[in-house]
Amino acid sequence: MNINWKTKSFVFRLIDFFNLPNVLYFLQKNVTKRSRVRDINISPNWSQHKLILQKYNATDFIFEFGAGKTLAQNLYLSNDIDNQLIVDLNPMLDFELVEQSRKSLSSQIDLKHNSTISNKKDLLKYGITYRAPFNAENTDLEDGSLSACISTNTLEHIPPDSIKKIFIELHRTLKASGIVSAKIDYSDHYAHTDKSISLLNYLKYSDLEWKKHNHSVHYQNRLRHFEYIELFKMTGFTVIEETLEFAESNIPDEVVSLWNGYDDSWKATAAHVVLKKS
């Protein structure tokens, strides 16, 4: 479904104004169907996380913030991870979608645990604990208790100040050998449903102009790769692996002129970074 991005922005503005986040979920599940689960294709993002966790022997106890509705990634990882604590700032879990995810995955791979999931107790059989509401900025986890943190296309939806607080907390709760495996989507998310605009369209706007379209239910921080790297270093992490994707070959001239002189990584549309405690 192709949706004009300014029309979509207007709908988000109404949802924000009337404080109706459940309306957004209804639209995603039943109208745009972007939340609906059919046949799941195992995402390269999940495979990347699994390989990194195995490579750095970080499969004991992992943490994920911004887990979402379907837990498909977590069910996939449950074959190789002992325990997962997955959290959301606000309750997001939809057990109907979780069960659909399990059925789809089980038709493609042998799940070590493959029983019906209808509640949080059922998730425990897979080594998965779900908690929401949960603020990743200030957890009740013990110092050095986590072997890893994974994040998939979540960081771009978090304000920079909150990202800094989350990573300070991760530095406290990760083991000395602990790692962070993060996939970040640097593209304008409005371009995901409006193919007429560039993946970097939102970079042409000033902060004041963008504020009109940056609603709490569809927040995008617009940070570029080099800014994330600076933030990670500031909070005590070292980059040990990074892979950048450049999926936009036709960047508008007005965007290029605004970002001319910055590190070329501003053009990246996505990245996978692996961090360790400094």
Side-chain angles (χ1 to χ4, degrees):
M1 178 179 291
N2 199 73
I3 306 171
N4 178 275
W5 78 272
K6 290 186 177 179
T7 300
K8 191 171 183 179
S9 172
F10 177 73
V11 172
F12 286 139
R13 183 186 303 171
L14 292 178
I15 290 171
D16 264 5
F17 182 80
F18 291 106
N19 192 25
L20 297 172
N22 289 336
V23 171
L24 174 63
Y25 176 51
F26 176 84
L27 293 173
Q28 289 174 331
K29 186 175 181 180
N30 300 293
V31 180
T32 67
K33 301 182 181 179
R34 289 177 65 82
S35 293
R36 190 170 286 185
V37 175
R38 294 188 182 86
D39 292 329
I40 291 177
N41 294 318
I42 294 173
S43 168
N45 295 334
W46 309 349
S47 301
Q48 277 186 318
H49 286 316
K50 182 174 79 169
L51 290 173
I52 290 298
L53 293 170
Q54 292 173 334
K55 178 179 178 179
Y56 293 98
N57 193 28
T59 57
D60 295 339
F61 181 23
I62 71 168
F63 177 71
E64 180 183 7
F65 53 91
K69 304 178 184 73
T70 73
L71 304 193
Q73 172 178 264
N74 307 97
L75 293 173
Y76 170 79
L77 291 174
S78 68
N79 274 4
D80 303 279
I81 307 302
D82 296 335
N83 293 289
Q84 301 180 61
L85 172 59
I86 56 179
V87 305
D88 281 311
L89 186 59
N90 299 299
M92 297 283 289
L93 205 57
D94 183 321
F95 279 105
E96 177 187 349
L97 299 183
V98 174
E99 175 61 9
Q100 289 173 11
S101 296
R102 181 197 66 81
K103 289 179 178 178
S104 181
L105 281 172
S106 65
S107 69
Q108 301 172 67
I109 60 174
D110 291 327
L111 289 173
K112 185 177 7 178
H113 307 284
N114 195 24
S115 55
T116 301
I117 302 172
S118 61
N119 53 52
K120 291 182 181 180
K121 186 176 180 181
D122 291 337
L123 284 174
L124 294 175
K125 300 172 187 176
Y126 294 78
I128 298 172
T129 300
Y130 178 82
R131 293 175 63 182
F134 189 99
N135 189 347
E137 296 178 11
N138 184 21
T139 74
D140 54 5
L141 300 174
E142 295 182 2
D143 292 0
S145 57
L146 298 173
S147 53
C149 171
I150 61 172
S151 176
T152 306
N153 299 338
T154 298
L155 285 172
E156 66 268 22
H157 299 295
I158 302 175
D161 286 347
S162 291
I163 296 176
K164 181 179 178 180
K165 292 175 183 176
I166 288 170
F167 274 80
I168 289 172
E169 182 70 351
L170 283 176
H171 195 275
R172 179 186 71 80
T173 54
L174 282 167
K175 298 177 181 178
S177 60
I179 62 164
V180 177
S181 176
K183 177 73 176 183
I184 313 169
D185 187 344
Y186 300 141
S187 69
D188 182 341
H189 285 32
Y190 283 116
H192 297 181
T193 49
D194 186 346
K195 303 306 179 184
S196 70
I197 62 173
S198 164
L199 291 172
L200 299 177
N201 180 69
Y202 63 177
L203 294 182
K204 68 184 182 183
Y205 297 99
S206 68
D207 289 342
L208 184 60
E209 291 172 321
W210 180 243
K211 189 176 181 180
K212 300 173 185 176
H213 302 289
N214 205 22
H215 315 292
S216 64
V217 293
H218 194 256
Y219 176 82
Q220 302 175 71
N221 60 39
R222 300 196 298 170
L223 291 176
R224 309 322 297 156
H225 181 73
F226 68 88
E227 294 174 303
Y228 275 102
I229 299 304
E230 290 173 4
L231 194 155
F232 297 148
K233 291 179 179 178
M234 184 190 311
T235 53
F237 288 89
T238 300
V239 179
I240 54 177
E241 295 188 30
E242 62 180 326
T243 305
L244 277 68
E245 299 173 25
F246 296 86
E248 182 56 82
S249 58
N250 188 24
I251 304 174
D253 290 341
E254 56 192 312
V255 174
V256 173
S257 63
L258 284 171
W259 287 84
N260 186 35
Y262 287 93
D263 186 289
D264 278 351
S265 66
W266 73 262
K267 301 176 185 177
T269 52
H272 178 233
V273 295
V274 183
L275 312 170
K276 69 173 183 178
K277 293 169 67 168
S278 300

